[in-house]
Amino acid sequence: MGEQVIETAEGAELPADALVVADNVHKSFGRLEVLKGIDLQVRRGEVMCIIGPSGSGKSTFLRCVNHLEKLSAGRLWVNGELMGYRQKRGRLYELRDNEIAAQRSDIGMVFQRFNLFPHLSVVGNIIEAPVQVKKVPRAEATAKALELLERVGLPDKADAYPDQLSGGQQQRVAIARALAMEPALMLFDEPTSALDPELVGEVLDVMRDLARGGMTMVVVTHEMGFAREVGDSLVFMDDGLVVESGVPSEVLSSPRHERTRAFLSKVL
Amino acid sequence: MSSPTEPVSGPGSPNPTPGRSTEPVTAVPVRYPERWVAAAVILVLAAMFVHMLFTNDAFNWPFMLEHMFSDPVVRGVWVTISATVLSMLIGIVLGIVLAVMRLSGNPVLMAVSWLYTWFFRGVPRLVLAVLFGNIAILYTTIAIGLPFDNYWMPWLGLEGDARFFEIDTRTLLSGYVAGLLALSLSEGAYMAEIIRAGLQSVDKGQTEAAQALGMGRGRIMRRITLPQAMRVVIPPTGNETIAMLKDTALLAYVPVTIELFYQLQAIGSRTYQIFPMLVAACLWYLTITSVLMVGQYFIERRFNPGQYGGIRGRIVGGAH
């Protein structure tokens, strides 16, 4: 193992090129165990697609990455930082709200239902976090927002309100909003599942551009074409576990596990 | 679509089915004779009422008109309006604090908020008003200092007291302030429930999106949740304001002598013209609540539209 490693504040040794390291991540809601021990690593610049039947825990895992859900067991590091906790002399201490917020500001997230702020204009949505959290001057943030809108193909929608946009446009604004914080990692939680079929393409185009630009992305999706074409790795999850992972084209064309095969035969 | 005068034959059916009517519908509408009977009865009753207004001497209209706009009464109107505005403002601020406490997840704050709401919703406003008017019986003076000084100062061998500031309760809680306090504290409990409902109506995804952007809890509340809760909060707050205007009449029992209803009653009992002054009270309250209702209509149209139509209205308005 000649891999370079970095040592974290907790004394764990992580591969130097890994941006996300999930180590035996468990998550239970009451007595329902949704994640049963996930081990995953996402390298810098990697685009990882996660597929699997509904209820398999893909979205829950994604929400654990930016600590929207607390882990029940295991550890999760992003950028060498243990998410949500500080470990001192073998004990875990919960981080304060503002410390968790600081960790999250490095991680962009795009939701299935867009979750744009309906009381703010498109530009208002995009500059909200940079101005409020990062204290970027308003004019500077606005200029940056207009650039981002250009990039997602909506230069003329700056002053519109979310309810005046189509689903695809809203999702592209949501991507621009996440990018405005200049994140090191982007999480996509079924970004096209709530869209009319003819609007899916415009969102995938934006994501493809983003991947080409070298962004590290974890994408929970049902878009097998996107996973094959853009993904560097594909993870199949079922029943709270990673069943199979590998190069997308290989996993999709010659799955090794029976469960993967059964799932793919239904969706392809 | 075709207008009523055009024959109904689309391009899809060049040959209308034989016998199909192309005439506009001119049917005899259903008759409702009972509506005419009801209208007649109500008309007679209304005529009797109006007749009574003009013939019954107890109304004494000239006397009422003469005193309805006298200086102390007009001053009373302003006291009523100021008490409404102030107690609503204090009530809303209190309500926001209590609602945020209630939803905070902190068990101490949640319990305090619950207890507060329980007490002030459970006691009638009239009782609260009289209670606050007599609070001087409980505390003759109100002081700011360290608590329980009468116990621990002697115990430590110290003399005197640990009070830095002291004021006579009757001076601090003059009738008006006592009444205002009763109304605002009570209003805070109702507003807390309204604002809590508003906050809970905001989709959880909004908080999550803001969290994912790295915003902290306080900032999410101020910038994301509260502004959206306004849509739900504003209509019932308008109702509360109108109800509060009427409840300022309770100040007469604190007693607040400069208040509108107290003044009207005072004139009534002094001159033995009780009824005209009660009618004057009705007219004044009706007038002010009507003005408030117009205001409520416009505020609601701006803030609470079915699907954010109001916000769109704002952009269009802003463009001109």
Side-chain angles (χ1 to χ4, degrees):
Chain A
M1 299 282 250
E3 266 186 6
Q4 275 192 305
V5 293
I6 50 158
E7 196 175 325
T8 67
E10 303 79 39
E13 290 191 341
L14 308 178
D17 64 342
L19 187 61
V20 181
V21 177
D23 177 19
N24 196 24
V25 169
H26 284 71
K27 174 67 192 180
S28 303
F29 294 101
R31 285 164 61 191
L32 178 69
E33 198 176 22
V34 179
L35 298 179
K36 299 173 178 171
I38 303 284
D39 296 307
L40 278 179
Q41 293 191 2
V42 184
R43 284 174 293 104
R44 277 168 216 283
E46 177 177 344
V47 177
M48 175 185 279
C49 294
I50 304 180
I51 59 170
S54 62
S56 58
K58 342 180 262 304
S59 291
T60 305
F61 173 72
L62 206 64
R63 293 161 59 83
C64 285
V65 173
N66 67 354
H67 208 66
L68 281 181
E69 303 288 356
K70 282 186 188 177
L71 314 192
S72 308
R75 299 281 188 278
L76 200 150
W77 289 267
V78 175
N79 225 350
E81 274 187 62
L82 185 64
M83 286 303 290
Y85 303 94
R86 181 183 299 114
Q87 194 166 334
K88 258 194 207 162
R89 287 182 224 95
R91 290 198 64 172
L92 275 189
Y93 296 86
E94 280 186 1
L95 293 184
R96 301 192 148 274
D97 178 57
N98 59 340
E99 295 171 309
I100 295 176
Q103 289 187 327
R104 286 189 186 125
S105 65
D106 259 356
I107 306 172
M109 187 164 192
V110 175
F111 298 85
Q112 183 177 354
R113 311 254 7 143
F114 330 134
N115 294 351
L116 292 180
F117 306 131
H119 61 301
L120 299 176
S121 69
V122 164
V123 162
N125 266 275
I126 297 174
I127 67 172
E128 179 68 15
V131 170
Q132 294 289 325
V133 178
K134 280 194 170 174
K135 310 295 175 199
V136 178
R138 223 182 163 73
E140 197 182 304
T142 306
K144 174 92 188 296
L146 296 176
E147 249 170 63
L148 284 168
L149 282 175
E150 190 91 40
R151 210 164 129 193
V152 299
L154 295 168
D156 51 342
K157 296 292 183 190
D159 296 321
Y161 278 78
D163 71 325
Q164 297 168 304
L165 304 179
S166 73
Q169 292 171 329
Q170 288 193 51
Q171 194 61 298
R172 286 188 278 159
V173 172
I175 294 172
R177 177 176 71 172
L179 290 176
M181 289 296 280
E182 299 176 331
L185 168 70
M186 283 287 283
L187 308 174
F188 292 84
D189 187 3
E190 304 198 20
T192 56
S193 297
L195 297 177
D196 292 341
E198 82 270 23
L199 302 177
V200 168
E202 60 189 61
V203 172
L204 292 182
D205 285 345
V206 170
M207 290 169 63
R208 191 176 292 119
D209 282 349
L210 203 55
R212 254 183 227 135
M215 176 63 77
T216 313
M217 294 160 63
V218 182
V219 186
V220 170
T221 187
H222 295 297
E223 296 294 330
M224 300 302 157
F226 177 84
R228 184 193 295 268
E229 183 204 340
V230 181
D232 298 308
S233 58
L234 182 68
V235 172
F236 172 68
M237 279 179 69
D238 190 17
D239 197 25
L241 287 168
V242 172
V243 175
E244 176 162 4
S245 62
V247 179
S249 54
E250 288 173 15
V251 176
L252 290 172
S253 53
S254 48
R256 276 168 289 143
H257 283 263
E258 185 50 42
R259 274 194 286 175
T260 319
R261 227 168 286 145
F263 174 75
L264 290 175
S265 71
K266 278 179 214 148
V267 297
L268 285 179
Chain B
M1 300 306 282
S2 56
S3 72
T5 47
E6 280 170 0
V8 194
S9 61
S13 55
N15 298 317
T17 332
R20 191 195 267 188
S21 169
T22 53
E23 292 284 306
V25 173
T26 50
V28 178
V30 178
R31 308 282 186 206
Y32 297 99
E34 65 275 19
R35 289 182 184 174
W36 290 101
V37 175
V41 170
I42 285 165
L43 210 64
V44 171
L45 288 174
M48 287 166 71
F49 180 72
V50 172
H51 178 256
M52 192 238 348
L53 285 182
F54 284 99
T55 53
N56 194 322
D57 289 336
F59 281 107
N60 200 349
W61 295 106
F63 180 87
M64 192 206 81
L65 283 175
E66 189 191 330
H67 290 84
M68 195 177 156
F69 301 100
S70 63
D71 285 346
V73 172
V74 172
R75 235 175 287 132
V77 170
W78 286 114
V79 170
T80 287
I81 291 173
S82 81
T84 307
V85 171
L86 286 175
S87 54
M88 280 311 294
L89 285 179
I90 301 173
I92 289 169
V93 171
L94 252 176
I96 293 176
V97 173
L98 286 165
V100 171
M101 279 167 71
R102 186 75 184 274
L103 298 175
S104 66
N106 174 334
V108 179
L109 296 182
M110 287 163 84
V112 169
S113 171
W114 183 88
L115 210 67
Y116 180 99
T117 314
W118 169 76
F119 178 82
F120 281 99
R121 283 210 308 178
V123 179
R125 274 196 182 156
L126 176 58
V127 177
L128 280 178
V130 178
L131 182 80
F132 275 77
N134 290 294
I135 210 99
I137 298 172
L138 201 58
Y139 295 108
T140 45
T141 60
I142 289 176
I144 295 176
L146 302 177
F148 295 115
D149 56 344
N150 47 340
Y151 294 113
W152 57 262
M153 300 260 312
W155 188 68
L156 289 176
L158 297 170
E159 281 178 28
D161 55 33
R163 292 162 199 210
F164 316 124
F165 176 79
E166 206 159 16
I167 186 168
D168 181 40
T169 304
R170 262 176 266 262
T171 317
L172 181 68
L173 288 179
S174 70
Y176 181 76
V177 177
L180 194 65
L181 213 56
L183 292 180
S184 358
L185 293 183
S186 154
E187 187 57 37
Y190 290 98
M191 284 309 302
E193 291 297 288
I194 290 170
I195 290 164
R196 182 166 69 102
L199 292 177
Q200 286 176 327
S201 76
V202 178
D203 180 29
K204 228 178 84 226
Q206 293 289 311
T207 308
E208 284 182 354
Q211 281 179 323
L213 285 166
M215 294 171 78
R217 261 153 87 184
R219 190 165 278 127
I220 294 174
M221 179 59 71
R222 273 198 321 279
R223 301 280 311 172
I224 306 298
T225 315
L226 266 179
Q228 293 185 58
M230 291 303 278
R231 284 187 322 122
V232 177
V233 166
I234 279 173
T237 304
N239 290 342
E240 287 292 310
T241 309
I242 289 169
M244 178 56 79
L245 186 107
K246 295 181 290 175
D247 283 351
T248 56
L250 299 174
L251 294 179
Y253 299 92
V254 170
V256 180
T257 52
I258 49 175
E259 187 269 334
L260 173 64
F261 186 51
Y262 189 97
Q263 284 297 327
L264 289 168
Q265 275 195 312
I267 296 171
S269 45
R270 199 166 59 229
T271 55
Y272 302 107
Q273 297 286 344
I274 307 256
F275 206 80
M277 289 297 97
L278 288 176
V279 174
C282 290
L283 292 178
W284 267 121
Y285 286 116
L286 272 174
T287 308
I288 311 173
T289 48
S290 304
V291 171
L292 288 180
M293 281 159 95
V294 173
Q296 184 186 18
Y297 169 79
F298 282 106
I299 291 175
E300 275 184 35
R301 206 173 60 163
R302 189 174 146 177
F303 277 96
N304 180 48
Q307 276 76 38
Y308 296 102
I311 288 178
R312 197 176 290 141
R314 193 179 71 211
I315 322 167
V316 174
H320 294 292

